[in-house]
Amino acid sequence: MTLLAQGRTWRIELAKDGGSVALAPQREGLSEDLSELRDLRIEVPLERWNAVVKRARSDRKLLGGLLLDFASPQELLATAIAQDRVWVELTRVLAESTVALVEDGHLVLEPAVKGME
């Protein structure tokens, strides 16, 4: 796996095959009250990354609902999204990892097509 972004609480990596992005809490960065999050893993297919990024800064519930499809175990995702500190860092590392994906050529920026929203 290739490291894309890392913070105190989150680590985001590109899978070896380049087909997905894995989000996981940093085990050593979690406080005792969040230790249960150590088992959380979210693997998002690269073709769905745009939807994740669009919702990263908009609404916790929308992002949480989208990530729920890719989280294992799913019940831990609600705990992660509910914590302000964990949420804020997640949105930051999502943005950083998106920049890394573009810089490395895994994502391509294109002008929006007129009439498509």
Side-chain angles (χ1 to χ4, degrees):
M1 293 212 154
T2 303
L3 180 64
L4 296 171
Q6 175 175 291
R8 183 177 184 160
T9 310
W10 291 97
R11 177 181 183 91
I12 301 182
E13 300 174 313
L14 180 67
K16 287 182 183 179
D17 66 2
S20 64
V21 177
L23 296 78
Q26 293 273 56
R27 295 178 188 275
E28 56 280 345
L30 295 173
S31 59
E32 194 62 37
D33 60 324
L34 295 174
S35 63
E36 66 183 306
L37 294 179
R38 289 185 174 115
D39 296 328
L40 178 62
R41 182 163 175 85
I42 305 165
E43 192 150 338
V44 180
L46 201 52
E47 61 266 6
R48 296 290 309 212
W49 193 252
N50 187 45
V52 171
V53 173
K54 278 184 173 180
R55 287 159 184 85
R57 298 229 184 230
S58 63
D59 184 279
R60 288 181 202 221
K61 291 180 182 179
L62 290 174
L63 180 62
L66 178 64
L67 292 178
L68 192 60
D69 291 337
F70 310 114
S72 176
Q74 291 182 332
E75 61 271 7
L76 293 179
L77 183 61
T79 303
I81 296 293
Q83 300 293 321
D84 287 339
R85 180 177 56 88
V86 175
W87 163 256
V88 168
E89 184 172 299
L90 175 60
T91 60
R92 184 183 61 76
V93 295
L94 283 172
E96 287 179 16
S97 60
T98 301
V99 170
L101 287 166
V102 170
E103 288 175 346
D104 292 344
H106 297 286
L107 290 178
V108 177
L109 295 177
E110 296 178 355
V113 177
K114 288 185 180 183
M116 299 284 291
E117 295 182 76

